[in-house]
Amino acid sequence: MTLSTLLPPKLVAPPSCNTSTKEQVNALECSVHTLPKPFLREFHHVFRNHYLIDGAEEQKELLAIPTNQRARQDLVAVGDHIEEEKDRLLNVFIVFASDLCEKIRAMGYWADFIDPCSGLPMMTLGCNKVYSEVDSMECLLNYKSYNAGFCKILTHPKWGSSVYPATIFCHAPSDLILKLINELPAAMD
């Protein structure tokens, strides 16, 4: 945890997950953070001022909701089975992020998520700056990484490099976002 942490990492079952068994392989680790100064610069580099929309008058904050999924295999490996696993993890994240962002947007606030494949925002048009998931997990969660050639590899404290990171952002009241995340069903570790 860091000083920016509003909600420490917890495992949740996304809407696409079978909540009766809360399968660990589909669980997402979520946390909620304010944006620390070094991270705020990166955020503005990627989104510019697209998050500034008219709407509710409540106190809004720029928040990051980093997510991590435990992969069935070490994602540093190569092969068709690894690409299939990355596709599975991407699909779980996109369903989760789309659902959460739509809920936030329906309440009159800005929300978007990063495409883990391209590093670009998915819902905000006109953004072409790449966002680094690994750097954000290091900054927000104090997770470690290492270099493998020209690629930074994230290491999760429990899952090692069998991890799939992806981030959601919003400009909304923090109590609203904490309520939305806390209402998600818990998943087993």
Side-chain angles (χ1 to χ4, degrees):
M1 286 195 328
T2 64
L3 293 175
S4 70
T5 303
L6 299 178
L7 178 70
K10 66 183 254 179
L11 281 179
V12 299
S16 63
C17 183
N18 179 347
T19 55
S20 64
T21 61
K22 296 182 179 90
E23 300 172 41
Q24 177 271 328
V25 293
N26 284 337
L28 284 116
E29 177 190 76
C30 289
S31 56
V32 179
H33 304 261
T34 57
L35 302 187
K37 270 192 179 179
F39 197 77
L40 196 55
R41 182 177 165 206
E42 178 71 13
F43 174 87
H44 285 297
H45 183 70
V46 173
F47 288 104
R48 298 188 301 268
N49 288 332
H50 289 284
Y51 68 94
L52 295 174
I53 60 172
D54 292 332
E57 295 299 319
E58 297 97 343
Q59 178 68 29
K60 296 180 270 189
E61 292 183 80
L62 279 173
L63 302 170
I65 306 166
T67 71
N68 288 287
Q69 293 179 75
R70 185 176 189 173
R72 293 175 179 156
Q73 292 97 15
D74 186 340
L75 297 183
V76 175
V78 293
D80 290 342
H81 66 293
I82 299 298
E83 295 309 312
E84 289 171 12
E85 176 66 352
K86 287 179 182 177
D87 289 344
R88 182 187 72 79
L89 296 165
L90 174 64
N91 289 332
V92 169
F93 172 71
I94 286 179
V95 168
F96 175 75
S98 296
D99 181 62
L100 184 60
C101 286
E102 287 304 322
K103 284 179 183 174
I104 296 167
R105 285 174 171 238
M107 292 181 225
Y109 304 106
W110 177 87
D112 200 348
F113 61 99
I114 300 296
D115 174 357
C117 296
S118 68
L120 297 173
M122 288 292 289
M123 302 174 99
T124 306
L125 303 177
C127 299
N128 61 4
K129 303 296 184 205
V130 175
Y131 174 79
S132 170
E133 294 291 357
V134 174
D135 290 347
S136 76
M137 299 301 161
E138 287 178 308
C139 178
L140 296 173
L141 294 165
N142 281 331
Y143 288 1
K144 305 299 179 207
S145 71
Y146 64 91
N147 290 325
F150 294 104
C151 189
K152 282 180 87 169
I153 307 297
L154 181 68
T155 55
H156 188 279
K158 293 182 183 173
W159 310 329
S161 54
S162 296
V163 62
Y164 192 82
T167 306
I168 302 165
F169 291 99
C170 63
H171 189 224
S174 58
D175 58 337
L176 171 75
I177 302 307
L178 293 169
K179 181 178 183 284
L180 287 173
I181 298 298
N182 282 321
E183 286 175 347
L184 293 168
M188 296 183 306
D189 193 6

